[in-house]
């Protein structure tokens, strides 16, 4: 019996979840205008996404995706998730640490400003 839950399925699922998490960390703060309680999920996502990039750690989802890719007979990738998919889209040519540092500060800075604006307006 053929199952849809193949290693390739799991690798793609992790890729999409990872991508949605990054988008949520970067832009999910906008939703706080309508759902202020969402800060309980968004703030930890921002701290994780910004912090992991600034410290230079690898998100656990990246090696997990790569393991499933390799189990599916595909090539994994080196470097981080953001670097890999930005380069794949032709958007980056900088080294990994520079990119991670810029992404980390961008996530933290953008959301810091967003939180100040939103919560000042809500008062």
């Amino acid at each position: 019996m053929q199952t849809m839950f193949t290693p390739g399925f799991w690798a793609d699922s992790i890729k999409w979840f990872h991508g949605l998490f990054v988008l949520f960390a970067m832009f999910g703060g906008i939703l706080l205008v309508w759902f202020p309680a969402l800060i309980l999920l968004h703030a930890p996502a921002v701290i994780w996404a910004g912090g992991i990039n600034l410290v230079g750690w690898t998100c656990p989802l990246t090696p997990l995706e790569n393991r499933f890719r390799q189990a599916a007979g595909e090539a994994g990738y080196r470097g981080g998730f953001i670097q890999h998919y930005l380069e794949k889209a032709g958007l980056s040519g900088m080294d990994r640490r520079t990119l991670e540092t810029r992404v980390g500060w961008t996530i933290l800075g953008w959301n810091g400003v967003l939180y100040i604006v939103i919560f000042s307006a809500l008062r």
Side-chain angles (χ1 to χ4, degrees):
M1 181 168 113
Q2 182 91 14
T3 177
M4 67 181 247
F5 298 111
T6 63
F9 168 84
W10 290 113
D12 288 341
S13 296
I14 293 165
K15 173 184 75 175
W16 285 106
F17 176 79
H18 205 168
L20 290 172
F21 178 85
V22 170
L23 289 174
F24 176 69
M26 189 65 193
F27 301 109
I30 296 167
L31 298 173
L32 298 178
V33 171
W34 300 282
F35 307 103
L38 191 61
I39 196 167
L40 297 173
L41 293 175
H42 188 255
V46 168
I47 292 166
W48 174 262
I52 204 164
N53 279 288
L54 288 176
V55 175
W57 293 345
T58 299
C59 178
L61 293 174
T62 301
L64 186 61
E65 177 191 347
N66 279 324
R67 271 188 240 129
F68 279 113
R69 292 236 173 270
Q70 291 164 351
E74 302 173 26
Y77 56 87
R78 297 188 62 183
F81 175 85
I82 291 173
Q83 180 186 26
H84 174 71
Y85 288 104
L86 283 180
E87 283 181 351
K88 200 171 184 177
L91 298 176
S92 177
M94 64 184 79
D95 68 279
R96 179 181 177 182
R97 272 313 292 140
T98 301
L99 178 64
E100 287 173 341
T101 302
R102 287 184 183 178
V103 167
W105 283 118
T106 299
I107 290 170
L108 293 174
W110 158 255
N111 281 291
V113 169
L114 193 61
Y115 281 14
I116 290 168
V117 168
I118 289 172
F119 287 105
S120 293
L122 289 176
R123 284 209 241 162

